Amino acid sequence: MQSDEVVWQIINHGHCSYKVKTSGETFCRNKYSVTGMCNRSSCPLANSRYATVIEEGGTAYLCMKTVERAHKPAQLWHRVALDKNYAKALKQVDGLLSHWSRFLIHKSKQRLTKITQFFMRTRKLLREKRPKIVTLPAREQQREARRESKAHVAAQLENSIEKELLVRCLRCLLCLRRQESCHRLSGFLSPESDSFRVISFARRRSG
């Protein structure tokens, strides 16, 4: 037969995987712990008759453990879904724990109050429009940075090629204009041209 005092002595003075010790307090990580503290009255392992309120999937459940279920670990906890209305849920707790200790009734109601407040805050946050935070992998960011740097280098190369082509075009135009002006001047001063004859005749008359 299970002895709660023996179990508590082993847990308190020995090892417990749910126990968390700090400089000031000792806490319990068991999800069925009604207070979250590691002490004799709040330990879900060292009490054959125990009750608590837990939350799963947006619903509050009243979990009860009795000594008659100790031989069935899979069915150790009897779960009852509580009403979403806070006042009706409190009446359910009072009705189901009518012959239980006042400590468990009071702590279960406190836990139900906290869970109800958690539901209210959750609904309020869901109604608010909040920006969606999207994370980017580091490799993808590095890949995008490399692509941007390559595109920048390619753009600079295209600009330099364009400038070089413009400079060469201007040089070609200047050469063509110089050649045209030289051809005109040579045609103007050739011996067969009328202009050359007029200039030579004027020189002879003046001489």
Side-chain angles (χ1 to χ4, degrees), residues 27 31 48 58 61 67 75 117 154 204:
F27 298 97
K31 71 173 185 177
S48 301
Y61 293 92
V67 69
Q75 302 175 2
Q117 292 174 351
R204 286 196 299 269

Side-chain angles (χ1 to χ4, degrees), residues 46-205:
N47 289 281
S48 301
R49 189 176 174 86
Y50 197 79
T52 184
V53 178
I54 65 172
E55 180 271 330
E56 283 187 6
T59 306
Y61 293 92
L62 176 64
C63 300
M64 296 169 288
K65 181 178 76 169
T66 57
V67 69
E68 291 81 11
R69 294 172 175 267
H71 66 287
K72 295 181 179 180
Q75 302 175 2
L76 186 62
W77 294 92
H78 176 57
R79 297 171 50 163
V80 178
L82 298 176
D83 197 284
K84 292 185 178 181
N85 186 280
Y86 178 64
K88 293 181 180 179
L90 286 177
K91 290 182 180 179
Q92 280 184 284
V93 173
D94 286 330
L96 294 170
L97 303 179
S98 57
H99 301 291
W100 292 59
S101 65
R102 292 184 178 180
F103 174 78
L104 289 176
I105 295 173
H106 177 63
K107 293 300 180 182
S108 297
K109 287 182 178 180
Q110 280 188 338
R111 197 168 178 84
L112 176 62
T113 304
K114 290 181 180 180
I115 291 173
T116 305
Q117 292 174 351
F118 166 72
F119 289 156
M120 293 172 62
R121 289 195 300 270
T122 303
R123 288 194 294 268
K124 183 179 178 181
L125 290 174
L126 289 175
R127 286 195 299 267
E128 295 178 356
K129 292 183 179 180
R130 305 178 66 184
K132 187 177 180 180
I133 300 175
V134 180
T135 59
L136 292 175
R139 291 185 179 179
E140 186 175 348
Q141 289 182 344
Q142 292 175 0
R143 192 182 305 117
E144 292 296 331
R146 286 195 297 268
R147 288 177 181 175
E148 289 180 2
S149 62
K150 289 180 181 178
H152 183 66
V153 172
Q156 288 183 341
L157 182 61
E158 290 179 358
N159 291 334
S160 61
I161 292 172
E162 185 179 356
K163 290 180 180 179
E164 183 66 23
L165 290 175
L166 288 174
V167 170
R168 291 185 180 183
C169 289
L170 290 174
R171 287 177 181 175
C172 291
L173 289 175
L174 290 174
C175 290
L176 290 174
R177 288 182 180 179
R178 287 176 182 175
Q179 289 178 1
E180 289 179 359
S181 61
C182 289
H183 284 305
R184 289 177 184 177
L185 185 60
S186 62
F188 181 78
L189 298 177
S190 63
E192 291 81 7
S193 63
D194 296 336
S195 301
F196 183 79
R197 293 173 182 172
V198 171
I199 293 172
S200 60
F201 178 75
R203 284 180 178 177
R204 286 196 299 269
R205 290 290 301 270

